[in-house]
Amino acid sequence: MDDRANYKAAKELLAKAKRVLVSGHLSPDGDSLGSMIAMARMLRAAGYDAYATADVHALGKPGFLEGVADIIPVRRLKRRKFDLFVYVDCAAPNRLPPEVRPFAEKLPTLTIDHHATSIPAGAASIIDPTASSAGEIVWRFAKWMEWPLDRAIAEALWVAIITDSGRFAYDSTSTGTMRAACDLLKHGVRTAWINDTLYCSFKTKSMELKRRAWRSLHIWKNRKVAEVTLTRNDFREVRGTKADAEDVIEIPRQVARNEIALFFYQIPDRTHETRVSIRTREPHDATLLAARFGGGGHLRAAGCTVKGGMAIAKRQVRKAVKEMLSGKMKPAEEPPKEKGAAPKEKEVEPKEKEVAAPKERDVVAPKEKEAVQNAT
């Protein structure tokens, strides 16, 4: 199905609806939040009773966007009724907030996404893995629908695009991305202010999480692999959320000659699992590594969740990374299982800051040591 057919199917679906709920993935980043805010505002301007929903306590840096005040907190959705559900920047329904998933199951659904691992679902889908961001796809659809933009919508889409394209630096940036950006600028986007807010101003707890991540930096495989770690205790002690550590993955990625960067973290919830953010450089496919553990994402940026504590997760992911570096990795249908590992393996969480085996650790160059010391 080509773009026009997808757009037509989406338009027909919208024509049958009046009350629309828009959501993004768990712990929304700039692309997810910006796309859902823009979509909800454009739908309201077009005459729909439309609202975005998210955990308002986990919006992070993009939480300054105009339109955040209109978001319905996920905990208040039970009393609301809708006849159409739209989710953006989310590869699968299981990546939606738990409170939102029932709407995806019961209502006609429109999916707008750009993940390489995204599978068409619902009554209509607009999916383009070559797009820089979900925001770019939302902009295209808005132009096709001839929906007018205002500054608030343009700024929401601007944040969506620049955060997922690395401020137009990643491989996913295309001429189409730049056309979208040029059009958004016509509506008065405050580029300098947005840049300062997103990239030049950080809360104390965010800085503290980065300091702890720097202290956990572990480099191995002749600098090809670098990883950082934040435990539940780290988040609890600084009273931070994943949104406060959104760019921590850039720490291991900055290591010279790095090919695979990993960020292991555990958010303070009741689940016994460890999440992993993955960034790669050529020739490695981040989605291949993430898919081994049931995750997904993009060619150079992906993520997954490993059942088990930090030590189990690191052991499994490191094994998979070694396979990838050796060129032996193949897509796995199921996450690897530890031989003889019991689900309730004992681990001492507070000591997870340094679990790297001494034999694997490479000697870090003096300049890198100085950089780490200065950062901490």
Side-chain angles (χ1 to χ4, degrees):
M1 186 179 283
D2 59 23
D3 284 347
R4 290 185 180 180
N6 288 327
Y7 294 163
K8 185 177 180 181
K11 182 178 181 179
E12 291 174 351
L13 190 61
L14 287 168
K16 301 174 185 178
K18 292 182 179 180
R19 296 177 59 81
V20 185
L21 179 65
V22 185
S23 178
H25 58 68
L26 276 164
S27 302
D29 56 8
D31 188 20
S32 183
L33 184 62
S35 295
M36 74 169 85
I37 287 176
M39 192 69 184
R41 288 182 70 92
M42 288 188 290
L43 285 170
R44 281 201 299 276
Y48 295 88
D49 188 10
Y51 292 93
T53 185
D55 180 353
V56 294
H57 300 295
L59 300 182
K61 295 302 289 293
F64 69 88
L65 285 170
E66 186 178 345
V68 164
D70 297 324
I71 290 177
I72 299 176
V74 289
R75 296 178 183 177
R76 297 183 182 178
L77 285 175
K78 290 183 179 180
R79 300 178 182 178
R80 300 276 185 161
K81 292 184 179 180
F82 300 92
D83 46 36
L84 176 64
F85 179 61
V86 178
Y87 66 86
V88 296
D89 194 37
C90 186
N94 62 2
R95 288 284 294 129
L96 293 166
E99 299 89 344
V100 175
R101 292 170 196 170
F103 293 95
E105 296 170 359
K106 298 176 182 179
L107 296 177
T109 301
L110 167 61
T111 306
I112 300 177
D113 190 38
H114 71 125
H115 289 88
T117 52
S118 186
I119 300 174
S125 299
I126 304 174
I127 299 173
D128 181 4
T130 67
S132 67
S133 56
E136 182 180 335
I137 302 174
V138 170
W139 173 82
R140 287 185 212 158
F141 182 57
K143 301 302 284 186
W144 188 84
M145 290 288 291
E146 298 183 345
W147 286 339
L149 307 184
D150 58 22
R151 190 177 74 177
I153 294 170
E155 289 188 339
L157 291 177
W158 180 266
V159 167
I161 292 173
I162 66 169
T163 52
D164 250 34
S165 69
R167 288 181 274 185
F168 310 111
Y170 296 159
D171 291 340
S172 58
T173 302
S174 66
T175 54
T177 308
M178 303 311 290
R179 278 196 295 271
C182 287
D183 181 67
L184 296 176
L185 288 174
K186 296 176 184 177
H187 300 279
V189 174
R190 295 167 290 180
T191 56
W193 174 69
I194 289 174
N195 186 74
D196 283 347
T197 304
L198 286 176
Y199 303 108
C200 305
S201 175
F202 298 94
K203 295 179 181 178
T204 303
K205 56 186 175 183
S206 179
M207 299 293 285
E208 175 60 20
L209 286 172
K210 286 183 181 179
R211 186 185 72 83
R212 295 182 183 216
W214 268 108
R215 289 175 67 89
S216 73
L217 180 63
H218 173 46
I219 303 167
W220 51 290
K221 282 294 181 182
N222 194 29
R223 301 186 194 174
K224 290 183 179 180
V225 187
E227 61 187 53
V228 289
T229 304
L230 287 176
T231 66
R232 286 186 181 86
N233 284 343
D234 289 322
F235 284 103
R236 285 191 185 114
E237 289 169 9
V238 304
R239 297 183 179 181
T241 67
K242 171 57 172 61
D244 297 310
E246 199 60 49
D247 58 350
V248 164
I249 186 62
E250 296 301 323
I251 295 174
R253 194 169 177 272
Q254 290 172 17
V255 175
R257 300 203 301 272
N258 172 258
E259 295 179 11
I260 301 174
L262 305 169
F263 171 29
F264 295 92
Y265 66 96
Q266 299 169 318
I267 60 174
D269 56 20
R270 296 179 181 178
T271 59
H272 191 64
E273 60 187 26
T274 301
R275 301 182 187 186
V276 189
S277 289
I278 306 164
R279 298 292 184 272
T280 61
R281 291 186 171 89
E282 291 185 352
H284 308 297
D285 183 347
T287 62
L288 193 61
L289 181 57
R292 174 67 66 89
F293 302 94
H298 311 288
L299 183 65
R300 302 288 175 240
C304 60
T305 298
V306 181
K307 299 296 182 183
M310 189 69 75
I312 293 175
K314 286 188 174 182
R315 186 159 56 246
Q316 292 182 356
V317 173
R318 286 171 178 170
K319 181 180 178 181
V321 167
K322 290 175 184 177
E323 284 183 41
M324 174 171 276
L325 290 173
S326 67
K328 298 178 180 179
M329 174 171 279
K330 295 180 180 179
E333 294 182 0
E334 296 180 359
K337 295 181 180 179
E338 288 276 324
K339 209 169 184 179
K344 295 184 179 179
E345 181 174 337
K346 290 184 179 180
E347 298 180 57
V348 183
E349 296 291 353
K351 295 183 179 180
E352 287 302 326
K353 292 228 175 171
E354 187 54 64
V355 298
K359 292 182 180 180
E360 281 190 334
R361 184 181 291 279
D362 291 341
V363 177
V364 182
K367 289 184 178 180
E368 289 180 352
K369 282 187 175 181
E370 182 180 351
V372 173
Q373 291 170 354
N374 290 337
T376 57

